[in-house]
Amino acid sequence: MTEELDDLRGLARTFAEKEIKPNVERFIANKQVDRELWTKAGEIGLLCLSIPEEYGGSGGTFAHEAVLIEEQGRVGDSSWGASLHSGIVAHYLLAYGTEAQKREWLPKLASGESVAAIAMTEPGTGSDLQGIATKAIRDGDEYVVNGAKTFITNGYQADVVLVAAKTDPDEAASGISLVIVPTDTSGFKRGRVLDKIGMKGQDTCELFFDDCRVPASNLLGEKEGDGFIQLMTQLPQERLIVAVACVAAMEFVLEETLQYVHSREAFGRPIFKFQNTKFELAEIATEARVARSFLDECIELHVEGELDIPTAAMVKYWCSERAMKVADQCLQLFGGYGYMEEYPVARVFTDMRVQQIYAGTTEIMKEIISRSLPTPS
């Protein structure tokens, strides 16, 4: 942390307390955040914190993005998809977009005028991105996009979507490209907002593309077929974002549980006075601290440009698994009330389950890590 990051934390904390915390239940009921939340965040500079100022961002680093994610987690919110908007989609545009693409979209993302999503997963394709069926076929000066995507965060509110599609259907990885599709394009349709067991306030939905025609200049990158490499290159940051959210959730649910066990009584004394409660909380506090230490190391590495793919897989795997374990332990300490949705611990429990799935499953993370292990001589 630096003085600049401390100042940002103060701003982010005030915003989260004022604009997010009082509305968490309503976001969940509506299956989406208020659209004005994006523009309010943009007005005070909380979007695209790590995008250069020349494109409307704040010119910070990933550490700035991490601060905002932590403050969102501190108020128990999982509905606002700002980390995907700013930390993922904006960085695809920054890293691979043409100058015209960056100047068209990044200022709109930074101001909140436009909400961004990225569409990779399909009804029949999850972790194996090489098997996607959505196509973007060149027709003169346009690409014609056809296909379906599912589990798309920010999908219902998105104004622009980066679509992973096959520009060469006969190829696997080398046939994938990313194409920028504005959601006002003819032939673009949104499906229902999906009913999930957790993260119920996120507008996760299905997207459909029926002969969507976009200019050929909407191809992201210098040439067709670069999409798979682009995705693999950007995934470490996405996995680090998941780890930040997981550790923030661990710290939040620990604080909530400490307050509960000191105020709730059983057999004439606070629950905290029981040895089992003390031992469980000691374990939870240790888990959270170890995860925080590893996460902070990885953030430092990433800011210096030194976070490699296996280490990113490690921090995503470790923090998501630990967060689920901690959420389960904390829920148990709440007893029957932990099973009630009005208690934040119940939301954390269901929210954490998907962290082991998206941005690469735990099993995929272990596979990536195993490939980096040295072979004995």
Side-chain angles (χ1 to χ4, degrees), residues 91-126:
H91 279 269
Y92 275 95
L93 290 164
L94 179 66
Y96 309 115
T98 64
E99 191 64 21
Q101 288 171 345
K102 287 187 278 194
R103 295 202 176 276
E104 178 180 3
W105 290 109
L106 289 176
K108 293 177 183 177
L109 268 56
S111 68
E113 177 186 345
S114 294
V115 175
I118 185 166
M120 292 184 264
T121 305
E122 298 182 359
T125 306

Side-chain angles (χ1 to χ4, degrees), residues 22-84:
N23 300 310
V24 167
E25 297 289 347
R26 186 162 50 78
F27 294 163
I28 292 171
N30 294 339
K31 296 185 178 180
Q32 59 184 307
V33 301
D34 298 337
R35 183 60 181 81
E36 304 84 68
L37 184 66
W38 294 96
T39 49
K40 287 179 180 179
E43 286 171 2
I44 61 173
L46 288 180
L47 297 178
C48 296
L49 288 162
S50 54
I51 296 299
E53 293 179 9
E54 64 181 298
Y55 299 117
S58 297
T61 68
F62 181 80
H64 294 74
E65 303 286 359
V67 166
L68 179 59
I69 297 167
E70 288 174 357
E71 291 307 311
Q72 181 184 354
R74 186 176 173 275
V75 297
D77 178 65
S78 63
S79 300
W80 191 31
S83 60
L84 180 135

Side-chain angles (χ1 to χ4, degrees), residues 226-364:
D226 285 345
F228 191 78
I229 295 173
Q230 293 166 351
L231 292 165
M232 294 304 104
T233 304
Q234 292 296 315
L235 274 171
Q237 177 154 312
E238 183 174 349
R239 288 165 182 160
L240 188 56
I241 286 171
V242 172
V244 175
C246 286
V247 173
M250 291 168 73
E251 294 170 346
F252 167 74
V253 77
L254 172 59
E255 183 179 340
E256 290 284 312
T257 306
L258 282 169
Q259 291 178 5
Y260 182 80
V261 298
H262 278 284
S263 62
R264 175 78 171 176
E265 291 192 356
F267 302 100
R269 54 177 170 162
I271 295 173
F272 182 76
K273 295 294 185 179
F274 292 91
Q275 186 183 65
N276 179 70
T277 304
K278 294 178 181 179
F279 283 8
E280 285 290 302
L281 287 166
E283 181 178 324
I284 290 165
T286 304
E287 292 275 18
R289 185 162 181 179
V290 170
R292 162 63 63 189
S293 296
F294 185 27
L295 173 65
D296 284 350
E297 177 192 352
C298 289
I299 291 174
E300 284 190 33
L301 287 170
H302 192 48
V303 169
E304 296 298 323
E306 296 177 1
L307 180 67
D308 59 33
I309 290 173
T311 307
M314 287 179 182
V315 75
K316 195 272 182 183
Y317 146 62
W318 184 258
C319 292
S320 63
E321 292 287 330
R322 297 298 100 183
M324 188 67 236
K325 179 175 181 288
V326 162
D328 186 49
Q329 289 176 287
C330 288
L331 189 152
Q332 187 71 18
L333 291 172
F334 273 77
Y337 287 108
Y339 204 64
M340 301 296 107
E341 287 193 343
E342 62 262 33
Y343 279 77
V345 66
R347 293 201 300 267
V348 173
F349 178 78
T350 53
D351 287 349
M352 285 303 100
R353 188 59 186 88
V354 76
Q355 310 288 356
Q356 299 155 285
I357 298 172
Y358 65 11
T361 64
T362 291
E363 292 74 22
I364 294 294

